[in-house]
């Protein structure tokens, strides 16, 4: 009689095992991904499987109820105390007696896949640096003296195959009481990313979780955090706050100037951002109602200036050529070293930087969007005060940054404001009546719908609103290709109001889109476009297959309007997507999957950096990109636009008949 | 014509090199130990050699003045500024043109030997964990962006063969300004003991030293420190202070009890000892007139209780069977982790422990005395409140500890006191007149010499004094083998004064040696002897070849008196020596030679531990050792002792005719 055949689904892994083998042992023998924290002692229930019965012609087996041993006392007890679904078995208790087909549900997989919303996004497989391991430790023996920690380390090596785990000093201080309280059974949190695994915490007895990690994106304007469960990968709180460094300067260069001109200025900004990081931790922990001491790890990304200031490095070198980074490599730190209050022994991983203008945030975007895994030539644009731009496919990846300025964030716009309740975020202009309709942040209706409250307070226009407004003005024939707004006479609508020698469009009340606003958007979009073109030149291409708009702000940009403006190169609109906060997502990937850290460390060395500040073609592209393009300007995917040309004298004439 | 033959002395290494090779390059080719901090740039002068001229029949060469290129401008400049002896050349400047014989003076050797006073001691070869390296770093290049730290790391790899050096966060903060101030030439302090070398400091330009390390022995009673120059190995300050934990208990067990009985008691003792360690640092730095921030490393040893308390670990488990250590392994810490204020990124190395009663101090003694390197069977006794005992030779090494109590340190003695000015430290009793003479700490004459100031304040007897006094009483026939003091009548001298039913010897004024004092010393010496005997039993021997008395106190014990008392087993007195503070010396060896750390880590695993607390034979030996032995009791090396026997009734009779 041959040994029973066991088939695991969904992996399809199969093999014969000796009768009486536990399901967990069989899974290990066959390399099946079946979780366990307690190491097969019927405590953690992480190894649940769901047996299937009947004939499986595809697998060539017929499975009867006798395939597994009956539910035993451990499973009954577990069911009584915590509940065990009738179809489920504990893999460490059920014995394989005959041919079996066993399904491993997602929650029983160690390397379970974390669901990401976008189909084209890089999948995330759980493999965090910090894991829980239950061990049974040999008690001390006077005749064979050894340290309690050494016996704990040996248990980790023997029971979990983790050699050379070392305890931090605090672990050492807590290990003896925990071992005795747990009667020589303890659970360890082991951090595995580094030259030697470190034991960060010892709990008496079995501790099945939760443990947490925090992914942080430190932007010039906002700091965003995702608090994640390190077992499931679930985001249990997403929170953000303003970067308090804004008081030292709105954009990066003004902060670098502050550091250069004020002794101790860099240290002040470091203190401010670290204080904000601690506030972020407290806010995320409060939102998720968890103890911040259960946060064992954080991953931090940010542009080079933020990166340096978080680390307490004076960013002055980043303000002048040759834009030398203090360090480009990924960093492993104790949270304590940057005064971050998580678990007392928590570790920090900081993604590598790409260049002096292309930081760990761009590396995180590269990790999240992974253009290097795609055949399609992908352009990734992370829109912010500084835009990070990536262009690449399987063959190579290029990167640059472009100083777009703060117009896209609503600054330098006459009625501009940050994206906050009351701000106009979407705009449509009727091409016939020239009347606007808009949406306001915090209100779930368009301004011309019945559900729009008449007393809505409209306070200004945010970045996405001004982009749509300018594009809609162009589509409605109120703005010409050179960026001039027409007069009331030229356009035939009294929505156009004179402002000195120029004209403005009255959006609502005293909220206008002025000629100055259009010029500010033109400058910003030209910088963005010029950066993208520079990379396309370096790549030797005139077209891209796919465009990803990233950044918290990028998520709100309408691709169609961005293309009408010529912010981005021509592309099939169906291939233009928004990735949300891709830098934050990249940080989250590095938090949940330790191999992704190695990937991004390798990737940044493969990325070819193009320095816009010294590339003469950047200036050429910038000037050439000032106009709002036609379909005939190399934008075949653009709808035909009204052929209008205005001049500042107010007369109207048609361009090209 | 063949290439010049070059012979280096004292190593005798020889070989042919291309004409025009620098002496430094030739030394590296031939594997000769020639120092350099600046990497051959004529800055550091560490590579000085002394050429020899004339006929060398032994080497088979004749060397002329033309062997080396003439002194060059770099050497002339160095001579002008810092001085260069006429016979000396800078190895990085002098070119080998013909056959040459070159002596490498000790100060030019990297691995120079540190002189130790005792011939039998383990030699110490300089090979510290922290070294200085001068590097020339590539300036940043916008077209090949990389972090300044990465280029510094690359320079260390390429110019010094140190791969994977990483900067601490503080190094990162200081690297950019240092690189620019030094015009891309900097000197790094690199700590090389650990999974990856760490850059602890970056100086602009060339920094040739000094850098320092501190070896610390934390004893129950005193804390001793040796401040060492990490380039030369010289001890530039030796200092000590009382362990302030004494207020929580005189001996180890009373401190453990304090921790058990008082919540927060262990933390109080940790705070006290850490404060003392910082006072020690300040004291040593002040004595040597150096900046404590130039101390880059400390090595700490101590018994298990001190070890745990320094680390902030509750020592309660060490107070009860099975005497479980929290950790036995050597530890690598940041000085900051134990709140020690040295260089901000200084590292701490803590020697491994051997067992719950045999700590890192015993491991340090084992390293210093290295019985495992000897053919002779060596007994090492570190005398203190707790005695650590090692017995071994090349074949194996055994260890135990024995609770001798504080009598050897002057406690529990009627006129006992610590070794301090005013304490009687040496005693002789005239066998005929029974009159004493003695020496007092702080006075350079015996009490019966003319130079002894008549107004000398004599305050008590210290440990070595009481041992000599009791032994001299025995030699003078005033004490019998069982430890009874005779009466004035029995001994014929009115130096013996009655005290209740017993008698005491009047040493000076009201300073007496009482029957109680003799009993206390008997208990202590019995414990010491029983420990040694237990190890001899385990080794299967009745004799030892060599005895080393260690410990600050051990240094002051007269070997002859110790043997008269039966503190130590019988041995040729010429083979009994004192090693001084061997634990402190072991710490210093580990500080100066990183390979010695690996040696002691291996050695502690080879040492077989004998637990006196549970070994029934210990009790037997203890009881048997109570008497003061005769030559016929297995002490053939003892002088014949007076054959007297007293009884408490006061009558006198001779034993064995």
């Amino acid at each position: 009689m041959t040994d029973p055949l066991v088939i695991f689904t969904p992996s399809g892994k199969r093999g014969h095992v000796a009768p009486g083998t536990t399901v967990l042992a069989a899974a290990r023998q066959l390399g099946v991904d079946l979780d366990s924290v307690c190491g097969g002692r019927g405590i953690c229930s992480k190894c649940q499987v769901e047996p299937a019965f009947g004939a499986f012609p595809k697998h060539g087996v017929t499975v009867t109820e006798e395939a597994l041993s009956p539910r035993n006392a451990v499973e009954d007890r577990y069911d009584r105390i915590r509940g065990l679904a009738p179809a489920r078995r504990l893999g460490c208790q059920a014995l394989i007696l005959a041919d079996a087909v066993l399904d491993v549900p997602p929650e029983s997989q160690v390397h379970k896949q974390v669901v990401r919303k976008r189909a084209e996004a890089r999948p995330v497989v759980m493999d965090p640096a910090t894991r829980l391991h239950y061990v049974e430790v040999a008690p001390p023996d006077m005749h064979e003296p050894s340290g309690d920690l050494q016996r704990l380390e040996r248990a980790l090596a023997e029971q979990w195959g983790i050699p050379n785990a070392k305890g931090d000093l605090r672990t050492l201080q807590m290990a003896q009481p925990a071992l005795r309280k747990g009667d020589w059974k303890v659970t360890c949190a082991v951090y595995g990313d580094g030259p030697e695994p470190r034991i960060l915490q010892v709990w008496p007895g079995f501790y099945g979780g939760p443990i947490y990690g925090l992914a942080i994106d430190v932007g010039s304007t906002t700091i965003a955090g995702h608090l994640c469960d390190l077992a499931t990968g679930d985001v249990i709180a997403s929170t953000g706050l303003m970067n308090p460094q804004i008081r030292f300067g709105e954009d990066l260069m003004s902060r670098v100037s502050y550091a250069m001109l004020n002794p101790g200025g860099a240290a002040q900004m470091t203190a401010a951002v670290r204080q904000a990081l601690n506030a972020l931790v407290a806010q995320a922990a409060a939102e998720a109602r968890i103890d911040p001491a259960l946060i064992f790890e954080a991953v931090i990304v940010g542009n080079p200036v933020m990166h340096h200031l978080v680390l307490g490095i004076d960013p002055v070198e980043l303000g002048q050529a040759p834009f030398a980074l203090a360090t480009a490599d990924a960093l492993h730190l104790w949270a304590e070293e940057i005064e971050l209050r998580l678990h007392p022994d928590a570790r920090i991983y900081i993604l590598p930087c790409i260049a002096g203008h292309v930081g760990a945030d761009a590396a995180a975007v590269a990790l999240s969007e992974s253009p290097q895994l795609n055949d399609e030539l992908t352009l990734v644009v992370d829109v912010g005060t500084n835009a990070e731009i990536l262009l690449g496919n399987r063959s190579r990846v290029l990167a640059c940054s472009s100083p777009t300025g703060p117009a896209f964030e609503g600054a330098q716009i006459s009625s501009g404001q940050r994206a906050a309740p009351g701000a106009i975020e979407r705009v449509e202009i009727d091409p016939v009546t020239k009347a606007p309709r808009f949406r306001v942040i915090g209100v779930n209706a368009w301004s011309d719908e019945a559900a729009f409250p008449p007393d809505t307070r409209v306070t200004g226009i945010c970045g996405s609103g001004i982009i749509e407004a300018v594009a809609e003005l162009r589509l409605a024939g109120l703005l010409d290709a050179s960026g001039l707004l027409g007069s009331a006479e030229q356009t035939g609508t009294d929505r156009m109001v004179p402002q000195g020698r120029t004209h403005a469009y009255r959006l609502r009340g005293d909220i206008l889109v002025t000629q100055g606003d259009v010029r500010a958007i033109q400058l910003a979009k030209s910088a963005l476009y010029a950066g993208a073109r520079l990379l396309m030149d370096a790549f030797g291409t005139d077209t891209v297959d796919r465009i990803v708009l990233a950044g918290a702000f990028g998520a709100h940009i309408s691709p169609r309007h961005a293309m009408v403006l010529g912010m981005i190169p021509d592309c099939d609109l169906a291939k233009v997507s928004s990735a949300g906060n891709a830098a934050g997502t990249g940080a989250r990937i590095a938090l949940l999957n330790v191999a992704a850290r190695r990937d991004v460390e390798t990737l940044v060395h493969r990325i070819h950096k193009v320095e816009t500040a010294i590339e003469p073609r950047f200036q050429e592209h910038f000037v050439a990109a000032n106009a709002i393009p036609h379909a005939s300007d190399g934008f075949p995917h653009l709808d035909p636009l009204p052929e209008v040309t205005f001049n500042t004298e107010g007369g109207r004439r048609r361009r090209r008949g």
Side-chain angles (χ1 to χ4, degrees), chain A:
Chain A
M1 196 182 112
T2 57
D3 283 340
L5 174 67
V6 55
I7 297 159
F8 285 94
T9 59
S11 66
K13 290 189 174 169
R14 54 196 288 153
H16 292 275
V17 298
T21 304
T22 67
V23 170
L24 181 60
R28 290 187 174 175
Q29 275 175 42
L30 299 174
V32 171
D33 183 25
L34 183 56
D35 200 2
S36 174
V37 167
C38 74
R41 296 179 179 91
I43 302 172
C44 74
S45 87
K46 303 268 185 189
C47 62
Q48 290 183 30
V49 295
E50 203 159 309
F53 303 103
F56 295 87
K58 184 181 135 206
H59 298 313
V61 291
T62 298
V63 182
T64 68
E65 294 282 342
E66 278 72 48
L68 298 182
S69 59
R71 256 201 196 203
N72 70 9
V74 172
E75 291 172 287
D76 285 343
R77 183 170 174 280
Y78 191 88
D79 188 19
R80 264 198 324 278
I81 297 172
R82 308 218 190 166
L84 184 64
R88 292 284 179 89
R89 298 296 304 272
L90 294 186
C92 61
Q93 302 300 316
L95 309 179
I96 296 165
L97 304 178
D99 292 351
V101 173
L102 302 164
D103 188 57
V104 180
E107 65 271 23
S108 295
Q109 295 168 16
V110 185
H111 302 287
K112 48 188 144 288
Q113 195 160 322
V114 177
V115 177
R116 291 189 65 188
K117 286 173 201 140
R118 293 179 307 128
E120 78 276 18
R122 177 195 173 103
V124 186
V125 172
M126 285 306 290
D127 189 13
T130 308
R131 288 180 173 284
L132 296 175
H133 298 288
Y134 173 83
V135 283
E136 296 183 0
V137 178
D141 174 356
M142 225 172 341
H143 301 283
E144 289 295 336
S146 63
D148 282 345
L149 186 70
Q150 280 69 54
R151 273 173 282 106
L152 174 57
E153 290 167 359
R154 210 183 309 140
L156 280 168
E158 289 171 2
Q159 294 165 37
W160 288 100
I162 302 170
N164 295 320
K166 300 272 174 234
D168 277 354
L169 182 55
R170 285 197 196 82
T171 314
L172 211 45
Q173 290 160 355
M174 73 176 78
Q176 288 199 316
L179 283 163
R180 281 153 186 85
K181 195 170 168 203
D183 193 24
W184 304 100
K185 299 170 188 70
V186 292
T187 308
C188 299
V190 180
Y191 178 79
D193 187 22
E196 50 194 21
R198 303 296 295 201
I199 307 167
L200 302 186
Q201 173 85 29
V202 183
W203 289 268
F206 175 74
Y207 177 75
I211 57 171
Y212 304 103
L214 187 60
I216 305 175
D217 173 24
V218 184
S220 321
T221 306
T222 55
I223 302 177
H226 299 294
L227 184 62
C228 299
D229 183 311
L230 286 183
T232 63
D234 294 342
V235 176
I236 58 160
S238 281
T239 184
L241 37 76
M242 296 298 290
N243 188 331
Q245 292 178 337
I246 287 172
R247 67 174 183 269
F248 303 104
E250 284 265 323
D251 57 29
L252 292 177
M253 283 311 120
S254 56
R255 287 185 215 165
V256 173
S257 303
Y258 186 84
M260 291 174 80
L261 299 175
N262 297 280
Q268 272 179 293
M269 290 189 281
T270 293
V273 72
R274 289 183 179 176
Q275 205 173 359
L277 290 176
N278 278 313
L280 184 85
V281 170
Q283 197 170 300
E287 191 183 314
R289 295 167 184 272
I290 66 141
D291 180 354
L294 286 174
I295 305 175
F296 282 85
E297 283 191 69
V299 170
I300 300 180
V301 303
N303 60 57
V305 175
M306 291 305 107
H307 172 275
H308 278 39
L309 285 173
V310 166
L311 290 172
I313 300 169
D314 193 322
V316 60
E317 295 303 329
L318 299 171
Q320 56 202 16
F323 313 108
L325 291 160
T327 183
D329 280 0
L331 293 173
H332 298 262
L333 302 171
W334 289 26
E336 228 178 19
E337 289 184 78
I338 56 167
E339 301 169 287
L340 200 54
R341 288 184 294 278
L342 309 172
H343 181 276
D345 277 356
R347 296 302 203 271
I348 303 285
Y349 175 76
I350 298 184
L351 265 70
C353 290
I354 299 174
H357 279 150
V358 190
D361 53 350
V365 171
L367 177 63
S368 164
E369 300 310 313
S370 287
Q372 80 283 0
L373 302 180
N374 255 295
D375 290 321
E376 291 180 316
L377 182 60
T378 306
L379 179 74
V380 186
V381 182
D382 193 347
V383 188
T385 311
N386 219 54
E388 279 85 40
I389 309 172
L390 295 166
L391 175 69
N393 59 16
R394 263 183 222 288
S395 69
R396 63 204 168 108
V397 179
L398 310 178
C400 72
S401 78
S402 186
T404 46
F408 286 151
E409 300 186 45
Q412 301 178 344
I413 301 296
S414 61
S415 295
Q417 69 158 89
R418 293 193 196 289
I424 293 172
E425 59 167 344
R426 301 207 55 192
V427 175
E428 282 180 9
I429 298 177
D430 188 303
V432 177
T433 67
K434 318 296 185 196
R437 67 199 286 258
F438 53 83
R439 283 190 63 155
V440 171
I441 296 177
V443 180
N444 275 328
W446 284 87
S447 57
D448 59 351
E449 290 174 348
F452 190 83
D455 57 348
T456 301
R457 220 176 127 250
V458 183
T459 50
I461 313 178
C462 70
S464 61
I466 191 72
I467 287 173
E468 294 201 1
V470 175
E472 289 284 320
L473 286 169
R474 177 77 189 101
L475 289 166
L478 302 174
L479 183 73
D480 73 8
S482 76
L484 267 179
L485 285 165
S487 64
E489 182 194 275
Q490 286 167 328
T491 59
T493 170
D494 57 7
R495 284 266 163 196
M496 299 308 302
V497 294
Q499 271 212 325
R501 292 183 58 201
T502 64
H503 308 277
Y505 178 78
R506 188 162 38 78
L507 194 50
R508 167 171 175 134
D510 55 0
I511 298 176
L512 305 177
V513 179
T514 68
Q515 187 63 57
D517 296 345
V518 174
R519 291 299 179 214
I521 290 296
Q522 274 180 289
L523 286 176
K525 73 103 183 174
S526 301
L528 193 61
Y529 183 80
R533 280 301 316 188
L534 199 63
L535 293 189
M536 289 165 72
D537 288 352
F539 205 96
T541 184
D542 277 329
T543 56
V544 300
D545 298 328
R546 207 159 69 85
I547 296 178
V548 178
L549 295 170
F553 167 66
H556 295 99
I557 297 178
S558 140
R560 180 167 154 265
H561 292 104
M563 203 182 303
V564 165
L565 277 190
M567 272 177 73
I568 51 176
D570 183 72
C571 187
D572 179 355
L573 273 183
K575 290 286 200 173
V576 182
S577 60
S578 164
N581 178 0
T585 304
R588 192 158 61 90
I589 294 171
L591 178 67
L592 300 180
N593 184 298
V594 77
R597 302 181 185 183
R598 300 300 92 78
D599 289 348
V600 71
E601 289 161 13
T602 308
L603 179 58
V604 293
H605 287 292
R606 280 188 49 202
I607 293 178
H608 178 76
K609 280 69 67 172
V610 176
E611 181 50 72
T612 52
I614 52 158
E615 181 60 64
R617 295 206 62 174
F618 180 77
Q619 206 54 34
E620 288 170 31
H621 282 304
F622 180 75
V623 172
N626 189 48
I628 299 172
H630 276 270
S632 58
D633 294 338
F635 281 75
H637 289 98
L638 263 190
D639 302 329
L641 296 174
E643 302 286 351
V644 293
T645 308
F646 303 121
N647 57 44
T648 45
E649 304 314 307
R652 178 174 188 175
R653 57 190 167 96
R654 295 190 84 74
R655 189 189 177 203
R656 296 182 213 169

